Amino acid sequence: MHLSEIHNIIKGTVLKNELMSKHTSYGIGGKVLAYIRPYDRYELIKIIKLINENNSKLYFVGSGSNLLVNDKKINAYIITPSKALKSFSIENNVIMAESGVMLGKIVKEAIKHNLTGLESLVGVPGTLGGALMMNAGAWGAEISNYLVSVEVITYNGRIKTLYPKDIEFNYRYSSFKSNEFILSAKFKLTKATDEEIKSKKLIASKGRISSQPLKFRSAGSVFKNPHSRLAAGLLIDKAGLKGTKRGGAEISEHHANFFINHGNAKAADIANLIRLSRKTIYEKFGVMLELEIKTIGFNKSELYPYA
Ligand SMILES: Cc1cc2nc3c(=O)[nH]c(=O)nc-3n(C[C@H](O)[C@H](O)[C@H](O)COP(=O)(O)OP(=O)(O)OC[C@H]3O[C@@H](n4cnc5c(N)ncnc54)[C@H](O)[C@@H]3O)c2cc1C
């Protein structure tokens, strides 16, 4: 079967020549061959196998809240669990969720069941799959802290269970393979009082509202902090780059590590600000910033100043 006929064999959604700008929090991104939302895990396995057997380029995307996609045509298929793989349960302090469940729902349900651990992640956008891949964290908590196990689908369509000992997690880093799909995960939390949970949640949500430019489209922090006592945003601020604009994109005045889209920003505008920040900070402070956001469809020279 030719891949262009994929819609004939599945019940899920296949959006051909879909603009990725519709599926990223930046609102930026060109056309892909197809944006595919499988009906269930069995269909997902079938699609992954088929695309890989055809040696076609494949990316997994959650809700695109940590993603910069180029504007040019991208010769790849996208599979997302978003709005599709949403099975969820809580039993005996153990949460089980499929990767399309929004992190916000998991946090809300944990709080409702008086389970502590995830409340500091309130307000982090995205799906569970994206949160695990990125080891999402906020105000001292990381999603990996409470992990019991993860199911992934391998390149050749096999479901494999991984345990924390099998995966390396670090600050905004996980060792999941980029060709394996995160299917579901289990977390074990502990009971706490309403007051304890609510006070941690309040600290996190107040902090987020006061420190982040939440009115504008962004993908959160663009760069990783070079280390725990040196914020990338501080370096960008010290370099005098806050408020710098390229086309419709701007380095936020509110939080220098957030690059915002005023509505008409192109991928090249954000890439331009990335190169400028890297070059300026390297020349002023001798630090080459590492991207936290993930990118699709760029050459190295579009994102590095000296490439
Ligand atoms: C306003 C704002 C605030 C933010 N604040 C924070 C914060 O406080 N802390 C924080 O950690 N992040 C923050 N982020 C970044 C972002 O929300 C997180 O990284 C989030 O976990 C990404 O989830 P996603 O579903 O949108 O993933 P995507 O952006 O779609 O993807 C991210 C990565 O995960 C991979 N991926 C996604 N789903 C799967 C899957 N099922 N299987 C395999 N790989 C997959 C993608 O290939 C990509 O490499 C913020 C973003 C915004 C816009």
Side-chain angles (χ1 to χ4, degrees):
M1 193 206 71
H2 194 267
L3 273 179
S4 62
E5 301 301 314
I6 202 164
H7 60 280
N8 288 333
I9 60 147
I10 69 167
K11 278 203 270 176
T13 317
V14 179
L15 303 171
K16 285 190 190 171
N17 292 316
E18 179 74 346
L19 276 171
M20 284 304 288
S21 56
K22 295 185 193 167
H23 305 286
T24 59
S25 57
Y26 266 136
I28 293 173
K31 284 185 181 170
V32 290
L33 294 174
Y35 178 86
I36 304 168
R37 193 177 281 133
Y39 178 73
D40 58 21
R41 57 171 61 198
Y42 305 105
E43 200 169 271
L44 175 62
I45 290 172
K46 199 151 95 179
I47 303 166
I48 290 177
K49 275 174 73 175
L50 195 64
I51 295 177
N52 286 331
E53 278 162 13
N54 274 270
N55 291 319
S56 295
K57 186 81 188 151
L58 172 62
Y59 291 103
F60 303 131
V61 167
S63 66
S65 67
N66 208 44
L67 209 56
L68 178 63
V69 182
N70 212 334
D71 297 318
K72 65 184 183 201
K73 168 99 191 175
I74 292 154
N75 205 17
Y77 290 88
I78 303 284
I79 297 181
T80 185
S82 181
K83 300 183 186 149
L85 303 172
K86 294 201 300 187
S87 151
F88 178 87
S89 66
I90 300 189
E91 215 175 302
N92 298 329
N93 302 358
V94 174
I95 294 180
M96 191 298 297
E98 282 188 326
S99 54
V101 177
M102 296 305 282
L103 182 60
K105 175 181 163 94
I106 299 175
V107 171
K108 201 165 116 195
E109 289 293 327
I111 294 173
K112 208 161 92 187
H113 286 77
N114 284 101
L115 293 172
T116 185
L118 298 178
E119 57 277 7
S120 303
L121 296 174
V122 67
V124 177
T127 60
L128 173 63
L132 279 167
M133 178 55 98
M134 298 309 302
N135 191 18
W139 277 267
E142 285 177 346
I143 184 100
S144 57
N145 296 156
Y146 311 95
L147 188 66
V148 174
S149 61
V150 186
E151 278 184 314
V152 297
I153 301 180
T154 63
Y155 179 83
N156 52 5
R158 201 166 54 84
I159 296 183
K160 194 167 77 175
T161 303
L162 302 174
Y163 299 93
K165 67 173 174 46
D166 305 317
I167 316 155
E168 191 191 334
F169 286 107
N170 222 314
Y171 160 64
R172 300 301 172 275
Y173 170 83
S174 71
S175 61
F176 290 107
K177 293 186 185 150
S178 62
N179 65 2
E180 294 193 345
F181 183 93
I182 298 170
L183 178 60
S184 74
K186 281 186 187 159
F187 301 90
K188 188 164 172 72
L189 303 178
T190 49
K191 289 271 183 200
T193 63
D194 245 9
E195 293 69 44
E196 283 174 76
I197 296 176
K198 282 195 176 131
S199 88
K200 281 203 229 159
K201 180 187 159 200
L202 201 66
I203 292 171
S205 53
K206 276 190 173 165
R208 186 172 294 280
I209 290 164
S210 68
S211 68
Q212 298 183 355
L214 298 176
K215 277 190 289 186
F216 298 97
R217 302 192 82 145
S218 79
S221 292
V222 172
F223 298 107
K224 291 187 186 185
N225 294 328
H227 56 77
S228 58
R229 290 174 316 287
L230 185 61
L234 184 75
L235 292 176
I236 300 171
D237 187 5
K238 275 190 171 172
L241 292 173
K242 260 188 175 177
T244 306
K245 290 188 179 133
R246 289 291 181 272
E250 180 182 356
I251 298 183
S252 167
E253 291 275 7
H254 198 140
H255 188 316
N257 201 12
F258 277 53
F259 295 2
I260 55 182
N261 175 4
H262 282 289
N264 58 345
K266 302 270 175 270
D269 299 334
I270 303 275
N272 199 321
L273 291 176
I274 289 174
R275 284 197 310 277
L276 174 73
S277 304
R278 281 182 151 159
K279 182 171 190 295
T280 313
I281 282 152
Y282 187 71
E283 285 169 7
K284 279 188 188 277
F285 309 111
V287 175
M288 183 51 77
L289 290 174
E290 189 189 333
L291 283 182
E292 173 178 327
I293 55 168
K294 301 288 181 183
T295 61
I296 293 180
F298 291 89
N299 300 324
K300 200 173 174 201
S301 64
E302 291 173 280
L303 299 169
Y304 276 94
Y306 309 108

